[in-house]
Amino acid sequence: MDKKLIDESKKYLMNTYNRAPIVLRKGRGMKVWDSTGKEYIDFVGGVAVNCLGHCHPKVVIAIQKQAQRLIHVSNLYHIEPQIRLAKLLVDNSFADKVFFCNSGAEAIEGAIKLARKYSKDPVAGSKYEIIAALGSFHGRTLAALSATGQEKFQKGFEPLLPGFKHVPFNDVDALKNAISANTCAVLLEPVQGEGGVRFPSEDYLKEVRQICDENRLLLVLDEIQTGMGRTGKLFAYEHYGIQPDIMTLAKGLGGGVAIGAILAKENVAAAFQPGTHASTFGGNPLACAAAVVTMETLLEDGFMFDHCRRIGKYFKDSLERLKKDFPSYIAEIRGLGLLIGMEMTRAGGPIVDTCMGRGLLINCTSGNVLRFTPPLIVNEKEIDHLIDTLEDIFARQ
Ligand SMILES: *Cc1c(COP(=O)(O)O)cnc(C)c1O
């Protein structure tokens, strides 16, 4: 343990995170090393960010080259990598137009603004209310926090922004009942990641899409965690036979570099005109160059998606076998591609700590759900090693 650095971290940084007592210094592929030289296999992947693994050579080179050419100029000018990235996103999604920002929460803020702006009707009056789901997570800025359906994140920050209603996830009737004359949009994660890796029930998203169409509401999908191949398709909505009107992206988009995006259909995007929304850093050359190469690598021959689906199933099946051996520890396994949650019958924190001691980084969300969001390059051997370690930990308890 690097006591001096960790003491300084606690001295100088605001106390907003329960950080693990290690300082990570280097990463390659699935592995990271701390400041004492200890090696870890990383099943967190920067929380679903490092989709190609740590320091993928193509990403590193793209950043190096772009840094030598141009780092920042602002959106007063056209930016080559930003245009290329927008085209890649449009060519591979439901969307016609893209707006770039710098994080997930910022993408949600922009999506809320876009939905409200689009729904300002000079004749009919303005609709502004957004219905979101309980158990959702949309980020920490004030509007994103107001959209988030979990009180534990909101406590102490009241008053929240008005104009949000929350209904149980997977409850179509509750959603219908919540619609009022003021409702303009429904905001959902296709899979609730932070909320414990919770999946939509069969046909839920299709029914939501239909309800939105019947009531002329926008469907906004938050794919910040589920996007960029995480579930075995580029975007999770592709699994469910629907398309949103607006979608937010961030996390995996830049292959590790901070970037967020709002994608929308042409008619919706048209609500944004010069002066209505902006970002100084959004879509800067450096972040976009990293995102372009990340996306190109993901899309190459569809290789990564096939691998993600196959290895994700292998991972899930392995965890199911573990569950059979330890039914009193493990309540349920939920997963699609490489977004996998293992709900425990007890707190997950101590298991995360024990794994770390044994050179494995995993994450716990919602108190008792172990969440696995490794880079999409993870292989069988690494999964076997994780399973063996978990088995050993459970057997010793
Ligand atoms: C992580 C996350 C966010 C927030 O993204 P930040 O970049 O941390 O602001 C929003 N929505 C979902 C679904 C997320 O997983």
Side-chain angles (χ1 to χ4, degrees), residues 103-106 108 137-140 189 194 222 224-225 250-251:
S103 70
E106 213 187 321
I108 291 289
F137 181 80
H138 299 295
R140 303 291 197 141
E189 297 157 90
E194 201 66 33
D222 178 350
I224 290 167
Q225 187 158 156
K251 293 208 162 84

Side-chain angles (χ1 to χ4, degrees), residues 13-18:
L13 291 163
M14 287 199 197
N15 190 24
T16 52
Y17 304 101
N18 275 321

